[in-house]
Amino acid sequence: YQLGAWLRERYADVFPEVLDEYNPSLVRLESSSLERTIVSASSLALGLFPLETRGLQLIPTMPSNIPIYTLQDTHDITIRAYDKCPKYHDQLEALYQSDEWISMENDNMALLRKLAQMPAFKEYAAFKDGAYIPLQELWNIYDLVHVSQVECSTPNGSEVCQELPDPSLANSFQNNDWQAIEALAHTACHLYTSDAADD
């Protein structure tokens, strides 16, 4: 919901024709078919299009629902293409075998080996002259640490914090190590959308 409200505030002046009043011919929200992502998309829609943007209401005191479109999981080759679309899978494999990807992994091997020594990340480790975290798994590491930093920032933490495999991850890194992880994760992520992914 907060993300939807932030997007509205950020882009209201840029796209007034879309955000001033909800228009189903201009807006289509799509989600994977997981319950948690459908609920997230619905919450985002409530923040993005508050009651005053909904026009004529069938139930005046309630915002009418904005539809969230999904495909059956087995047919979702857009949002969940990583395990549904053979061509996408082949492109990923080509990316992982590219000189740029291999060079990036080798150049950061000291950091990737250091991460593999942490118990919370053992499930992501592979072995090549010793344990290391493969570059394609780095986003999982980044995400776990980032979530712990956000959700465990208060003394007792949130419910999400309590469900993490290691809530102390937020404090597990020196600033320079965390900055290196963050920069590497973002650089690797960028390659997924670059020309390298289309080779």
Side-chain angles (χ1 to χ4, degrees), residues 72-85:
Q72 186 179 8
D73 190 54
T74 54
H75 301 297
D76 187 354
I77 62 169
T78 303
I79 297 175
R80 297 177 63 82
Y82 59 87
D83 67 352
K84 301 292 186 300
C85 177

Side-chain angles (χ1 to χ4, degrees), residues 5 15 25 34-35 55 58 75 78 115 119 124 136 144 152 191 198:
F15 301 110
S25 68
L34 301 173
E35 181 178 305
L58 294 175
H75 301 297
T78 303
L115 293 172
Y124 301 110
Q136 60 258 42
L144 275 173
C152 303
L191 290 181
D198 296 325

Side-chain angles (χ1 to χ4, degrees), residues 30-44 68-70 73 76 79-80:
E30 297 186 8
S31 169
S32 57
S33 63
L34 301 173
E35 181 178 305
R36 65 178 176 80
T37 57
I38 295 170
V39 171
S40 291
S42 183
S43 298
L44 182 137
I68 308 298
Y69 295 90
T70 67
D73 190 54
D76 187 354
I79 297 175
R80 297 177 63 82

Side-chain angles (χ1 to χ4, degrees), residues 13-155:
D13 293 336
V14 181
F15 301 110
E17 68 282 0
V18 175
L19 296 175
D20 281 353
E21 184 170 342
Y22 171 68
N23 181 341
S25 68
L26 297 176
V27 176
R28 179 181 171 93
L29 296 177
E30 297 186 8
S31 169
S32 57
S33 63
L34 301 173
E35 181 178 305
R36 65 178 176 80
T37 57
I38 295 170
V39 171
S40 291
S42 183
S43 298
L44 182 137
L46 287 171
L48 191 59
F49 294 102
L51 181 60
E52 63 270 15
T53 67
R54 305 294 181 92
L56 182 62
Q57 301 292 313
L58 294 175
I59 307 173
T61 58
M62 298 284 289
S64 58
N65 291 328
I66 292 177
I68 308 298
Y69 295 90
T70 67
L71 286 174
Q72 186 179 8
D73 190 54
T74 54
H75 301 297
D76 187 354
I77 62 169
T78 303
I79 297 175
R80 297 177 63 82
Y82 59 87
D83 67 352
K84 301 292 186 300
C85 177
K87 182 175 180 180
Y88 181 79
H89 180 75
D90 291 345
Q91 288 176 335
L92 278 183
E93 286 305 311
L95 173 63
Y96 297 154
Q97 299 302 316
S98 71
D99 292 341
E100 186 175 10
W101 188 270
I102 292 169
S103 176
M104 187 185 303
E105 186 172 78
N106 289 336
D107 291 347
N108 292 279
M109 190 57 74
L111 175 63
L112 297 173
R113 289 193 190 287
K114 187 175 182 179
L115 293 172
Q117 302 309 310
M118 300 181 71
F121 305 143
K122 291 285 188 190
E123 68 179 286
Y124 301 110
F127 295 88
K128 180 171 71 176
D129 301 324
Y132 76 107
I133 299 296
L135 188 55
Q136 60 258 42
E137 297 290 350
L138 185 66
W139 190 261
N140 292 313
I141 307 300
Y142 169 78
D143 192 48
L144 275 173
V145 176
H146 188 257
V147 168
S148 70
Q149 289 175 338
V150 172
E151 298 293 338
C152 303
S153 59
T154 58

